[in-house]
Amino acid sequence: MSDSPILTPLPQRIHNELAFRLITVKDKVLLASSFYRLTFSGDMLTGFSSRGFDDHIKLFFPDAQSGALLMPTISDDGIVWPEGPRPAMRDYTPLTFDTQNNLLTLDFYIHDRGVASDWAATAKPGDTLLVGGPRASLQVPCGYREQIYICDETGLPAMQRRLNDLAASQTECTLSLYAFADASVGEAYLQTALPLERHWLGSGLMHGEPLQNLLTVLQAQAPITEDYFIWMTGEGAAVKLLADKLLTTTSVDKDRVRAVAYWHAKTATSR
Ligand SMILES: Cc1cc2nc3c(=O)[nH]c(=O)nc-3n(C[C@H](O)[C@H](O)[C@H](O)COP(=O)(O)OP(=O)(O)OC[C@H]3O[C@@H](n4cnc5c(N)ncnc54)[C@H](O)[C@@H]3O)c2cc1C
């Protein structure tokens, strides 16, 4: 008889039908002094579905000058926008969706300056946005024996979703979080009774020596079991470096690593 452990199946991608929906701010609260939690309502949310903890939707913002919010149509030729400049678009995680009342909740991390962050900071009940998606969801089984999550503030909404899913599934696993966020913010933000080993690595420090130190920690311990899942998100160059190094210097399997750039630091040349 083989001694091979039974492994949890690999994550599976599923596709959703594309839809654009107008949503209206219903409620807004400040969370952990760094996030605005906005709850949106709207009849067009009927049929909205988000089945992956790190799903994203596209938010389209009103024109900064006119306040107009453009709405595309979906035809056989694809997405058709009205004439004129396209609206600004950003990705966000659907934190919760209440199907009975058509209520969608999103958490916006407030950073120095940006279309989405500024919009959320000044948003008030009655303001509208356009959302598209989620077009696809990655369904990540809860059962992996060892699970490692790496992110900054922008990944904490997905992390909270994952913790909710894990709690509901009553999975027994080793759970670690390495977050480039301040401990006071992270502890106030995340709500879970699960035994989560938390490492708060400081806000804005996902680069240079702190990033290298995390890589050294991961290289030393990865992977402990054969049944593991590693999730890494945050600033694009940092995520790429971590994923590339981990996959080329350890026996970690790329099919068990989910690495996604959540935002990109502007370099002198990209400004
Ligand atoms: C799949 C996915 C899910 C996401 N989910 C969430 C979510 O639920 N909540 C959330 O808050 N964000 C989330 N993000 C990240 C968010 O989309 C980006 O941070 C986005 O750039 C914010 O847009 P903005 O208009 O505020 O700033 P931008 O106009 O895009 O950027 C303006 C400036 O701010 C910098 N910047 C952007 N983001 C940050 C940051 N986090 N910290 C410091 N500087 C930054 C940029 O480098 C740029 O210099 C997600 C991203 C992805 C890809």
Side-chain angles (χ1 to χ4, degrees):
M1 247 173 67
S2 154
D3 285 340
S4 302
I6 297 169
L7 299 182
T8 307
L10 293 175
Q12 295 283 333
R13 182 169 298 280
I14 50 172
H15 292 276
N16 303 313
E17 200 171 323
L18 178 61
F20 289 94
R21 301 176 158 94
L22 284 172
I23 57 174
T24 304
V25 177
K26 185 175 187 305
D27 191 30
K28 173 178 170 181
V29 287
L30 181 64
L31 267 191
S33 71
S34 297
F35 291 82
Y36 278 112
R37 174 162 294 171
L38 271 79
T39 304
F40 296 87
S41 59
D43 291 344
M44 291 177 91
L45 281 167
T46 301
F48 181 88
S49 163
S50 170
R51 289 174 283 175
F53 81 93
D54 68 350
D55 279 358
H56 69 275
I57 50 177
K58 305 257 176 225
L59 302 185
F60 298 90
F61 294 87
D63 181 83
Q65 255 78 56
S66 67
L69 191 54
L70 296 183
M71 177 98 181
T73 50
I74 301 172
S75 75
D76 290 345
D77 298 330
I79 301 164
V80 184
W81 286 94
E83 292 282 307
R86 296 269 177 90
M89 186 264 295
R90 301 287 186 271
D91 294 327
Y92 279 78
T93 306
L95 179 69
T96 60
F97 180 58
D98 171 348
T99 44
Q100 292 207 322
N101 300 300
N102 276 355
L103 294 176
L104 173 67
T105 306
L106 308 178
D107 282 353
F108 293 76
Y109 172 60
I110 305 304
H111 60 96
D112 267 359
R113 198 166 180 74
V115 173
S117 176
D118 294 353
W119 183 89
T122 57
K124 53 188 186 320
D127 288 353
T128 51
L129 275 188
L130 179 71
V131 299
R135 275 194 104 155
S137 301
L138 191 73
Q139 290 200 300
V140 182
C142 286
Y144 301 106
R145 280 191 57 199
E146 188 189 357
Q147 305 188 23
I148 299 176
Y149 296 83
I150 298 155
C151 64
D152 62 12
E153 294 90 347
T154 58
L156 290 179
M159 187 68 210
Q160 182 63 59
R161 263 191 82 162
R162 183 62 170 169
L163 291 169
N164 296 346
D165 291 349
L166 289 169
S169 75
Q170 301 189 323
T171 305
E172 276 192 31
C173 60
T174 307
L175 266 180
S176 316
L177 169 68
Y178 296 88
F180 288 92
D182 290 336
S184 56
V185 170
E187 291 293 349
Y189 179 86
L190 282 185
Q191 301 296 316
T192 186
L194 290 177
L196 170 68
E197 189 187 295
R198 302 137 199 245
H199 304 267
W200 301 111
L201 305 177
S203 184
L205 295 180
M206 198 174 191
H207 54 81
E209 200 180 323
L211 186 66
Q212 188 57 49
N213 290 343
L214 173 59
L215 177 63
T216 305
V217 168
L218 296 174
Q219 284 169 323
Q221 71 178 44
I224 294 172
T225 74
E226 287 180 60
D227 194 33
Y228 60 93
F229 172 69
I230 303 174
W231 185 80
M232 47 178 83
T233 64
E235 197 286 317
V239 171
K240 183 170 183 335
L241 184 139
L242 269 188
D244 286 354
K245 292 274 185 197
L246 205 59
L247 291 172
T248 52
T249 61
T250 71
S251 59
V252 162
D253 174 357
K254 68 174 176 26
D255 292 337
R256 293 175 173 275
V257 176
R258 166 92 156 148
V260 184
Y262 267 27
W263 61 281
H264 294 277
K266 292 260 191 308
T267 58
T269 45
S270 66
R271 268 185 209 123

